[in-house]
Amino acid sequence: MEAEVIEAELVLPTYMSFKKIQMYDKYPKGQSRGRHWKHLKQILQAENYQNYPPDEPNYVNIESPPSMHPCKRICDITGFEAPYYDPRTNLRYANTEVFKLVRSLPNEYVQRYLALRNAAVVLK
């Protein structure tokens, strides 16, 4: 039986369609394995930033004008977006549970939270 197989000289494909292809078969030596990320230096060389006006913000010029959009208001306690603020303590809060906590805080803690946000009022 073995002699018959050898004499037949069957030509088989290099891989079967139902088998997984090995990495060395898929990517022979010297070929890339997928997407390569460009470094900042490569981006700068390709973009010709010297042709842009100097006051236009880009990768090279990190000095940009201040944002025209208002900053997001963040809850001082939880860190979530805060649509409300307490007029008595000036702390921002996200929901009613946090509001109850804000109202129960002693004045010393309120001043510490405001100091973290650089909005502290110095009482004399």
Side-chain angles (χ1 to χ4, degrees), residues 27-67:
Y27 301 109
K29 202 169 194 176
Q31 288 186 358
S32 70
R33 292 185 175 218
R35 177 178 289 190
H36 286 286
W37 297 100
K38 288 186 178 180
H39 297 287
L40 180 61
K41 206 170 194 180
Q42 293 171 330
I43 294 171
L44 296 178
Q45 288 174 350
E47 290 293 327
N48 295 327
Y49 282 109
Q50 62 269 14
N51 298 338
Y52 287 99
D55 58 340
E56 185 177 327
N58 52 36
Y59 284 112
V60 177
N61 178 9
I62 60 171
E63 297 172 1
S64 61
S67 175

